Amino acid sequence: MLANYLIGLREGLEAGLIVGILVAYLGKLGRRDLLGRLWVGIGIAVAVSLGVGALLTWGPYALTFQAQEVLGGALSLVAVAMVTWMIFWMGTHGAGLSKELRGQVDAAIDRSWIAIVVLGALSVGREGIETALFVWANVAGGSDPVLGTVGAVLGILTAVVISWGISRGLVRFNLSVFFTWTGLFLILVAAGVLAYGIGDLQEASVIPGWGTHAYSLTGVVPPGSWIDTVLGGIFNFTPEPTWAQVIGWLAYVIVTVALYLRLLQRRRFTSRASAVPSAPAATAPAPDPAAAPAVAGN
């Protein structure tokens, strides 16, 4: 539930910031007449996201067991790829997000009225589909479906309240720090989803090695115990993973964390460099009055 809550909170905050920037910029341009079209696009995005969530929840039941496992494994890999892209995209574009969105609004206004609807749908729809897919993959990996869904909904509702408070100037907190630490947390969550997806593909005989455990931690984490439930619900932990799951988990965490920390270091260096005042431009020295030629008197 905690993992899904943070997923809903983070994605909801991203969507809330995007909506806030779009609404504020249209107001600044004096084009509040376009807000209705923007909200139509946002409504379409929400409907599509709910539709994707419903399709993922009830669609696979008509498939055979092997087809369900292949589909579950493939969608888990897609979810990991999408959330990883989202983490790095926010890390690289977060600082210039407002400027980028304002440019998209200008371009949409110049094209046609439908472009504003499309902009609203795409800007929010990406976050909604990512949330639906990743929450589904996390729930499918072992979380209680009801608690997982409730956690995601509570996270989204919290994000709505925070976004409203930010727009009204009632809430102030460091969004950069929030996105940085939740990014690291979601990398661990995504690693668990990846391991679950690999297990599904092994069960479907797409990847060999199912049934051969790399190690067993059942003595430390008994199946069905509270710690097994907590770790399984948050990180898709399994006490008896296969070798493919262990290798996939380790490879993903090592590579992704290293790249993410490098991104943070580069961003910190860039922000420090931009904060250093530039040296004043060199100016020609003032003429020395003593060196001026004497003017001969009459």
Side-chain angles (χ1 to χ4, degrees), residues 87-112:
I87 292 170
F88 282 91
W89 184 89
M90 197 62 187
T92 54
H93 291 77
L97 180 61
S98 181
K99 181 179 179 181
E100 183 176 332
L101 288 172
R102 290 197 301 268
Q104 293 177 2
V105 170
D106 291 336
I109 292 175
D110 291 338
R111 285 197 292 268
S112 66

Side-chain angles (χ1 to χ4, degrees), residues 65-82:
F65 173 78
Q66 185 176 21
Q68 289 184 30
E69 295 301 297
V70 172
L71 179 62
L75 289 178
S76 295
L77 300 185
V78 172
V80 171
M82 289 186 69

Side-chain angles (χ1 to χ4, degrees), residues 203-229:
E203 280 194 274
S205 300
V206 176
I207 299 176
W210 180 251
T212 304
H213 304 306
Y215 53 80
S216 177
L217 295 177
T218 54
V220 180
V221 185
S225 63
W226 69 268
I227 189 171
D228 178 57
T229 302

Side-chain angles (χ1 to χ4, degrees), residues 241-262:
T242 65
W243 279 109
Q245 288 176 306
V246 172
I247 294 172
W249 191 95
L250 285 175
Y252 175 82
V253 169
I254 291 172
V255 173
T256 308
V257 169
L259 292 175
Y260 187 63
L261 293 178
R262 182 179 179 183

Side-chain angles (χ1 to χ4, degrees), residues 1-265:
M1 182 174 180
L2 175 61
N4 289 334
Y5 176 82
L6 287 178
I7 292 168
L9 178 61
R10 181 188 170 100
E11 294 285 354
L13 272 178
E14 287 186 23
L17 291 174
I18 290 172
V19 171
I21 291 171
L22 294 175
V23 170
Y25 189 56
L26 284 175
K28 184 178 180 180
L29 292 176
R31 296 302 307 271
R32 303 189 70 86
D33 57 299
L34 297 176
L35 286 178
R37 299 170 186 175
L38 178 64
W39 286 112
V40 168
I42 293 171
I44 292 173
V46 173
V48 170
S49 302
L50 292 175
V52 170
L55 182 63
L56 291 173
T57 302
W58 291 292
Y61 286 111
L63 303 176
T64 64
F65 173 78
Q66 185 176 21
Q68 289 184 30
E69 295 301 297
V70 172
L71 179 62
L75 289 178
S76 295
L77 300 185
V78 172
V80 171
M82 289 186 69
V83 78
T84 305
W85 176 85
M86 174 267 293
I87 292 170
F88 282 91
W89 184 89
M90 197 62 187
T92 54
H93 291 77
L97 180 61
S98 181
K99 181 179 179 181
E100 183 176 332
L101 288 172
R102 290 197 301 268
Q104 293 177 2
V105 170
D106 291 336
I109 292 175
D110 291 338
R111 285 197 292 268
S112 66
W113 69 270
I114 193 66
I116 293 292
V117 177
V118 174
L119 176 61
L122 293 180
S123 298
V124 179
R126 181 188 63 195
E127 313 297 336
I129 292 175
E130 284 177 359
T131 303
L133 185 56
F134 200 61
V135 167
W136 171 85
N138 197 40
V139 168
S143 300
D144 182 87
V146 176
L147 288 179
T149 303
V150 169
V153 171
L154 289 177
I156 293 172
L157 292 177
T158 304
V160 170
V161 173
I162 293 175
S163 299
W164 179 84
I166 291 174
S167 68
R168 299 293 180 177
L170 302 176
V171 177
R172 295 183 181 274
F173 69 99
N174 194 321
L175 286 172
S176 176
V177 173
F178 170 80
F179 284 121
T180 296
W181 287 105
T182 54
L184 286 170
F185 177 82
L186 286 182
I187 288 174
L188 296 179
V189 175
V193 173
L194 174 64
Y196 168 78
I198 291 174
D200 267 358
L201 294 177
Q202 286 185 300
E203 280 194 274
S205 300
V206 176
I207 299 176
W210 180 251
T212 304
H213 304 306
Y215 53 80
S216 177
L217 295 177
T218 54
V220 180
V221 185
S225 63
W226 69 268
I227 189 171
D228 178 57
T229 302
V230 171
L231 292 178
I234 299 176
F235 300 110
N236 277 285
F237 169 83
T238 175
E240 293 183 328
T242 65
W243 279 109
Q245 288 176 306
V246 172
I247 294 172
W249 191 95
L250 285 175
Y252 175 82
V253 169
I254 291 172
V255 173
T256 308
V257 169
L259 292 175
Y260 187 63
L261 293 178
R262 182 179 179 183
L263 170 65
L264 296 179
Q265 185 179 19

